[in-house]
Structure formats: C-alpha cells, structure tokens
Amino acid sequence: MTDFSTILSHIEGLSNGSESATNEELVNDFADRLTLDKSLITENEEETVTLLQTTVATLMKDNLDIDFAPLITLLDAILSQLSYDTISHQLDVPYVLEALASPNPNIQIIALKVISKAHPVDIIANTGIIHRVFEILSKAETPVAVVSEAEGALEVLFRGVLVRRRAMSDSTVDVLLDMKESGDPILVGRVLNILTLLLPRVESNEAPHNLYQFDILDQKDVLVLLTLIKFYTDVVDITQTHLDKSWLMADVVKQIDDISQLYADRANNIDVEYFAVTSIEELFAKVSYASPDFFGTLETKYISIAKQDTFLLSHVNPSFLASNKVNVLKQLKLTIDTIPIFRHLMSDKTAFDIIQPQLTSTQILRLPYLEIMAITSKLTEYEYTVKYLLNELPQVMNKLLKGDSVIENETWQLRKLTLENLMHVPHDVLNVWHAAVQLEYDKIVKGRPVAPQVEVLDDAL
C-alpha cells in the first residue's frame, strides 16, 4: 500500500526530471485513499502539507512534458480534506490572484480549486477574485478544463450574498455584457451558464435585466439561437423549482414569445426547421406547467397542437390538453406510435377520461406484448387507472398474468414493474386478482411461487 513517502518521492522525481512519466495508477490510487479515508490526512498533517506544496510546485512548472491530470486529481483529493484555514496558509489570496492571471492552465485550476474551498464563501468577496474569474471566462481561448473548473467554483461561491453582489457590480457586469454582445457562441454560452447558476439565488432587483434579455429575432448564428432556447428552457425550470421567481418568468415573456414566433414561421427558416424544433417544443412543454395561461396564449397564436404533434401531446401539461384540446384527444387512436401520448395523458384524470374509449381490451391486445406492458405499467400508477384496469380490462390482466415466459429484458422489466405496482394496491381493490398477482410476482422475484409455510413448535423451547 502506497505511503506518503512513496507518493512524495514520485512527485518530487517528476518535478526535478528524474522521473519522466506520471505513474497514473500510483497517483490515482493514493488520491482515492485520501478521498475515502480522512484519517490519512488528520494523522499525517505535516506530510499532507508537504505533499500539497510539492504537487502545486510540480503543476506550476511549464517545462515538464508529463501527464498532469492525475496530479490535478491528487490535488483535488488533498484540498477536499483540508480546512480552508490550512489551505489559505499555504496558498493565500495574493497567490490565488497571481495564479488566476497565469497563462498556465494548471496553475489557474489550482487557484480555482482553492477558492472553491473558501469558508465562509463571502470571505473572498472583496478580494478581486470574482472579477478575475470572470475575466478568465471572457477569453474564448480559455481551455475547457479551466472553464469547467471556473463554473464549478462559481456554483459554490454564488451561495454567498456578498459574492453575488460582487458578481453583479458594475465592473463585473460590464465583462458579462461584453461577452453577451460579442456574438461569439462560446462566450454567449458561458454568460448563459453563469446566469443559470446565478438566477436561482438572486432577487428581481439584483441582476440587470439586460443581462438575460436577448434579441431573439436578430440572432443569425444557429448555435447561439440553440443555446438561447436551452437557456430560456432552464429559466422556466428555475421559476418552477425555486420559490418567489414569478418575476423571472415575467421578465422573459417577450423572449419566449419571440421563440414561439420563430417556431410558427419555421417553414421559412431552414435553421429553425432542421435544428431548433425539438428544443423549442421542449421549451413549450416546460412553459405549459410553469404558466398554463401564458402557454395558452402561445398555443393559440403560434402552435395550434394537432393530433400529429406527437412530442407536444406526450410532453405538454396533460391538464392543459384536457381543458383546451378535447377534440384533438378524442381523435387519437392507440397504436405503437401513440403509446407515449397515451402514457402521458394517463397522468391526469380528466385527460384519461377523454382517451379511455380507446383503451379497450381489444385495442390494447392488438399491440405487441412489449407495448401492452408499456400501457399496463402506466395503468398501475394511479388509483383511477388501476381500478379501470382491474374492473374493465380482464383480458389485459390475463395477458399480463400469462406472460411468465417473457425473457426479453425490456419487456420483462416492464412486466415486473407492473406487478410491483399492483402489489402496492390494497387487497380489497385487487379483489379476485390478488392471489394471481401474488403468484406471478413471487415467480419474478424468487423464481418460483412461495408456498404457504406451516409453523412447527420446537419442543426444545
């Protein structure tokens, strides 16, 4: 088992040139041990600090032709187990600022890993570090590894109120606005990533609205357009998953409306027609849950969902569809291609009531066995669909119960899921089906039916 002296000797050898190649197995194994066993560091604090210093010094050398990735992994493992006080004594703020300005990506990564450990995070708010990180991200040529590390650091640091204020200060916002207005897909993407990290944590008066309000209809680069569609989809997600974000939805209504306009006119825009339709429909689906009324306006003006719109019918809020698209739902026929739609609509009782006439034993049993299981597994998820399956679809139940010869994995898994769901149904609801469901479930779980056991009293007791 590798000890501190062995790993330290190897890294010193890499640093002074006596060893020409990184022993990836040796270094990664030691990094794993440090991650899993914190006592290695607490019981060897002096050796750990020496190892930290040596690893950092080696990473800072520009003239070494070695694989640095294992050393960065080792550094990560060391930093993850040390307190910020200990780290900052070895790698203080002046060092971090200097390292962030270095042209060496390894040195920048060291600094970014250090600031990710800041505790409390606001301790670095007034040091100039945040501005320096944004400057790194503002250069299109910054390596992907550094960008990833920087965005990871910001995700941690944005927890601090003072850090967020620093990020939204005039000088830092100017950097972000320059990136936004550059039109460079790489830089625009980075701005949007930063905003996706920041918006869940800010109030309406903290982030300048022009940072996240883009001119959609003026976009000429399809990559930028696709990135913006994904961003606004993430924004809608934020409004759903975080409290008190109605202001954010209101702030991006125009952008979503413009995207919808592009969708409606897609026949005249080859980039939208070929590259953006699915992304826009994913956005529509999110909006239908976050703001059904707004989605209703979009649907009327730009979308007009019809029976051939498989993606929308299988992703848009089923409650909206049941209230506003009754005639479309009534036109649906159960086929292999429409199964995703039927499964989706079953999640809303009103929608289920509308499509129920298509869910007869005759219609379902026309499907291949895999698709039958796709339908029955969904029918067992809700109280109202379970009752319908048990009481109105006896032939489908029999088909389920006679499927013990199924060996194809996906079909087997769906049948198992269906039986598991039924096992959670109260006995009085399962009623006459209980014994047969129990029998088939035992076959799947234990490979055989479980016979009743007779308890025998041990006389020795």
Side-chain angles (χ1 to χ4, degrees), residues 99-115:
L100 289 172
S102 170
N104 184 331
N106 289 327
I107 298 175
Q108 291 179 320
I109 288 173
I110 292 170
L112 292 164
K113 287 186 179 296
V114 169
I115 63 175

Side-chain angles (χ1 to χ4, degrees), residues 325-342:
K325 290 292 169 180
V326 176
N327 289 336
V328 173
L329 300 193
K330 286 182 175 179
Q331 294 173 39
L332 295 172
K333 303 297 180 185
L334 182 62
T335 67
I336 291 176
D337 293 333
T338 60
I339 283 175
I341 299 174
F342 277 83

Side-chain angles (χ1 to χ4, degrees), residues 142-154:
T142 299
V144 172
V146 177
V147 171
S148 178
E149 200 69 49
E151 290 177 349
L154 290 177

Side-chain angles (χ1 to χ4, degrees), residues 229-454:
I229 294 168
K230 172 65 168 62
F231 169 69
Y232 287 114
T233 303
D234 291 339
V235 168
V236 175
D237 251 344
I238 290 169
T239 67
Q240 280 192 278
T241 56
H242 294 76
L243 295 175
D244 302 323
K245 293 294 176 184
S246 57
W247 60 268
L248 183 56
M249 189 72 184
D251 279 351
V252 297
V253 160
K254 182 183 185 306
Q255 283 67 37
I256 295 174
D257 191 278
D258 287 348
I259 291 170
S260 304
Q261 186 175 326
L262 289 176
Y263 179 84
D265 195 39
R266 62 191 181 279
N268 299 315
N269 188 326
I270 192 170
D271 285 339
V272 174
E273 179 73 20
Y274 283 95
F275 302 111
V277 167
T278 299
S279 297
I280 295 175
E281 290 183 346
E282 288 173 350
L283 171 61
F284 289 157
K286 296 286 187 183
V287 175
S288 73
Y289 286 95
S291 182
D293 290 341
F294 175 42
F295 179 73
T297 301
L298 298 178
E299 202 279 331
T300 301
K301 287 173 63 177
Y302 304 115
I303 307 169
S304 190
I305 297 172
K307 66 179 181 179
Q308 66 268 22
D309 293 321
T310 301
F311 184 89
L312 291 173
L313 287 170
S314 55
H315 289 83
V316 164
N317 186 340
S319 178
F320 173 88
L321 295 173
S323 299
N324 298 275
K325 290 292 169 180
V326 176
N327 289 336
V328 173
L329 300 193
K330 286 182 175 179
Q331 294 173 39
L332 295 172
K333 303 297 180 185
L334 182 62
T335 67
I336 291 176
D337 293 333
T338 60
I339 283 175
I341 299 174
F342 277 83
R343 281 175 54 87
H344 177 62
L345 295 174
M346 287 181 206
S347 63
D348 179 83
K349 188 177 187 310
T350 304
F352 175 70
D353 289 342
I354 296 170
I355 62 170
Q356 186 177 304
Q358 269 294 306
L359 292 169
T360 64
S361 289
T362 301
Q363 293 296 104
I364 295 172
L365 294 177
R366 284 177 180 170
L367 300 169
Y369 197 80
L370 170 60
E371 282 70 25
I372 293 173
M373 292 301 100
I375 290 293
T376 57
S377 63
K378 198 68 178 178
L379 283 169
T380 57
E381 286 191 19
Y382 312 100
E383 182 180 355
Y384 52 91
T385 54
V386 165
K387 289 180 178 178
Y388 179 71
L389 171 64
L390 296 175
N391 299 327
E392 305 297 332
L393 303 175
Q395 291 174 288
V396 176
M397 280 297 296
N398 283 324
K399 190 74 170 178
L400 163 69
L401 296 171
K402 292 177 181 177
D404 56 352
S405 60
V406 170
I407 57 173
E408 191 276 320
N409 185 60
E410 186 177 0
T411 308
W412 188 91
Q413 291 291 347
L414 281 172
R415 182 171 183 266
K416 177 174 180 283
L417 174 62
T418 303
L419 291 167
E420 284 177 344
N421 289 344
L422 287 172
M423 288 297 295
H424 290 97
V425 174
H427 289 191
D428 62 321
V429 177
L430 272 179
N431 202 347
V432 297
W433 297 108
H434 178 262
V437 169
Q438 179 76 62
L439 182 70
E440 292 304 310
Y441 179 73
D442 288 341
K443 286 180 184 178
I444 279 186
V445 174
K446 296 158 186 165
R448 65 185 187 284
V450 178
Q453 300 295 310
V454 178

Side-chain angles (χ1 to χ4, degrees), residues 86-141:
T86 301
I87 295 169
S88 60
H89 276 99
Q90 304 301 321
L91 307 168
D92 56 14
V93 168
Y95 166 82
V96 169
L97 286 168
E98 183 179 350
L100 289 172
S102 170
N104 184 331
N106 289 327
I107 298 175
Q108 291 179 320
I109 288 173
I110 292 170
L112 292 164
K113 287 186 179 296
V114 169
I115 63 175
S116 295
K117 286 284 293 180
H119 182 75
V121 292
D122 281 332
I123 199 170
I124 66 165
N126 296 318
T127 62
I129 286 174
I130 299 301
H131 188 82
R132 191 68 58 84
V133 172
F134 278 32
E135 286 182 333
I136 289 173
L137 291 171
S138 72
K139 298 173 182 175
E141 67 273 15

